[in-house]
Amino acid sequence: MKPYKPTNIDPIKKNKRHQLLIIGWGWPEPNATAAGFRMLQLANYFLERSYEVTFVATTAENEYSLSLVTLGIKTKQVVLNSDSFNDFIADLQPNIVLFDRFLSEEQFGWRVAKHAPDALRILDTEDLHSLRYVRELCFKTKIPFTVDIWLQDDKTKREIASIYRCDMSLIISDFEINLLRTTIGINESLLLHLPFMLAKDDIPIKTPSFEERSDFIFIGGGKHLPNLDAIKYLKKDIWPKIKTKLPNAKLEIYGAYLPQQILEFNDAVSGFNVLGKASNVSEVLQNAKVCLAPLRFGAGIKGKLLHAMQFGTPSVTTSIGAEGMHGDLDWNGVIADEESDFVTAAVTLYLNRTQWEKAQRNGNALLNSRYHKASLENTFDFKISQLHNHLENHRIQNFIGSLLEHQTMASTKYMSKWIQEKNKK
């Protein structure tokens, strides 16, 4: 995605109708994480609508952090459990506050509600963190995942409470929005299905052909546990079987923050090449013939698989990998949960030009129907306008949110003040 470049921005003029504050758990890393890519898209959405955007986080920036200042975004490092944030937001008085996940809302939501009460509060869930956490827990303990187990987990209750306390929550996966609507019973007025958004310029008109490509690819950051499990699964079980059938093929593993254990998997003899962070995601995906993503737990929609579609690379993944990404449309390759089926699908797709080209067409159809930037932004525009015009009534109708805000503000407020006093001593 091409970064937005602001033009003719007068930093002195302030339109109170267009003040956005983003509260991040960390700084966006769009070239390293799908969450960072998502946040860049949202920031650009507001910049393109002439919002003055301020981004704050409690952590320090690092080598992978996007330089937000170059995009025209003001930045500030804030402190947890400190009244200094109260003064900051009371002075800024944004008309929209965007939390980048429920943990950010837990920490700062009550302060926003108290010191900028008229601000529209939006939660970007990225994915349902509780769903990913419970699935991982079930996988590690070898217990089949069920919705009932998810409902009973404390993290689920915290995340759902955060959704209720906000005026709108952005849900990236249609599986997750259906889960919230049907299982929890959250009113549709509090939710918006907003997946990744791609413009025409984000999708190459022509990509390398079947004959011009070679080898397999996996791409995913090392901070994301589903990625680490998938790499281990590839190394131990899947790749040796593929290599037996395709002795000349290689698998290239890319990802930022890969731990030493994963880096040590690098083995040129077996063609299992661990290469670290990709300097150019577009280039490495367009060079590869097939993307492999044997994800065994996780949530949301997967940036790696969207990028594969974007650059014309068919993929083999699991039901978890493809979840919430394709609806009733055909997948950009093959979905296989059993190890033997996964291996067979990977080999067949790698060798069969007709099947490969059909998978690529399926990916293009998915991009055009489900990730179309203009239509998704129109929906987002309408929702924001609707909430701005009827915010008081919207909050009156959200009684559970008001109840949770009242109780949570009290408990979080006094816990925070206790920590603040403890830190002074």
Side-chain angles (χ1 to χ4, degrees), residues 13-287:
K13 286 187 177 181
K14 281 192 175 184
N15 183 344
K16 287 296 183 183
R17 177 79 175 162
H18 291 84
Q19 286 283 328
L20 169 72
L21 172 65
I22 303 175
I23 303 178
W25 194 247
W27 299 93
E29 301 176 15
N31 294 322
T33 68
F37 176 71
R38 164 72 161 186
M39 184 48 65
L40 176 59
Q41 287 196 331
L42 292 176
N44 278 340
Y45 164 85
F46 286 102
L47 286 169
E48 289 164 359
R49 283 151 182 78
S50 300
Y51 278 78
E52 287 190 14
V53 180
T54 303
F55 192 103
V56 302
T58 59
T59 59
E61 298 182 62
N62 62 49
E63 60 179 314
Y64 296 134
S65 300
L66 177 68
S67 177
L68 296 174
V69 175
T70 63
L71 301 181
I73 298 174
K74 300 172 184 177
T75 63
K76 180 180 177 63
Q77 187 172 349
V78 293
V79 181
L80 280 174
N81 303 308
S82 171
D83 286 345
S84 61
F85 181 85
N86 302 348
D87 299 332
F88 162 73
I89 194 168
D91 178 64
L92 184 66
Q93 282 301 307
N95 77 304
I96 297 181
V97 176
L98 174 66
F99 305 99
D100 77 340
R101 66 197 69 190
F102 87 91
L103 296 168
S104 302
E105 191 279 334
E106 276 189 335
Q107 291 288 347
F108 293 99
W110 70 272
R111 295 182 185 273
V112 173
K114 182 175 181 180
H115 298 283
D118 296 330
L120 177 64
R121 300 192 295 274
I122 301 176
L123 171 64
D124 180 41
T125 59
E126 297 180 354
D127 58 32
L128 286 179
H129 287 58
S130 57
L131 182 63
R132 171 157 46 92
Y133 170 79
V134 173
R135 280 177 168 167
E136 178 188 345
L137 198 63
C138 290
F139 176 77
K140 288 182 175 179
T141 55
K142 299 183 180 178
I143 299 172
F145 169 83
T146 66
V147 170
D148 286 344
I149 296 175
W150 172 67
L151 288 171
Q152 294 169 33
D153 192 84
D154 288 346
K155 195 179 288 279
T156 303
K157 296 165 188 172
R158 289 167 55 197
E159 189 163 30
I160 298 304
S162 182
I163 289 172
Y164 270 114
R165 286 193 299 267
C166 289
D167 300 307
M168 171 169 58
S169 291
L170 308 179
I171 313 298
I172 205 165
S173 155
D174 59 10
F175 172 85
E176 292 176 8
I177 201 167
N178 289 332
L179 185 67
L180 295 172
R181 286 170 177 166
T182 60
T183 301
I184 306 292
I186 297 178
N187 192 285
E188 288 194 15
S189 65
L190 298 174
L191 306 172
L192 179 65
H193 178 219
L194 192 74
F196 291 121
M197 302 172 284
L198 294 178
K200 284 186 178 180
D201 290 346
D202 296 323
I203 305 169
I205 297 174
K206 182 173 172 35
T207 57
S209 66
F210 177 83
E211 290 82 5
E212 293 171 318
R213 297 172 181 245
S214 63
D215 301 323
F216 295 88
I217 189 172
F218 173 90
I219 189 164
K223 286 186 175 180
H224 198 55
L225 292 176
N227 289 336
L228 298 182
D229 174 74
I231 296 172
K232 293 174 185 177
Y233 188 28
L234 283 166
K235 175 69 174 178
K236 182 174 180 259
D237 300 308
I238 293 176
W239 182 246
K241 295 178 177 65
I242 293 177
K243 188 67 173 175
T244 299
K245 299 183 179 184
L246 298 171
N248 295 323
K250 294 181 292 185
L251 170 59
E252 296 187 338
I253 307 289
Y254 290 96
Y257 300 112
L258 294 179
Q260 187 62 31
Q261 179 192 16
I262 298 298
L263 295 175
E264 290 175 359
F265 285 170
N266 184 57
D267 180 16
V269 175
S270 67
F272 195 93
N273 301 322
V274 182
L275 302 172
K277 184 178 181 293
S279 57
N280 189 319
V281 171
S282 168
E283 182 179 323
V284 298
L285 274 169
Q286 291 190 68
N287 287 336

Side-chain angles (χ1 to χ4, degrees), residues 354-370:
T354 301
Q355 185 174 334
W356 188 91
E357 290 179 343
K358 181 182 178 183
Q360 190 181 67
R361 290 194 297 272
N362 290 343
N364 289 332
L366 279 169
L367 292 177
N368 291 327
S369 64
R370 294 178 64 87

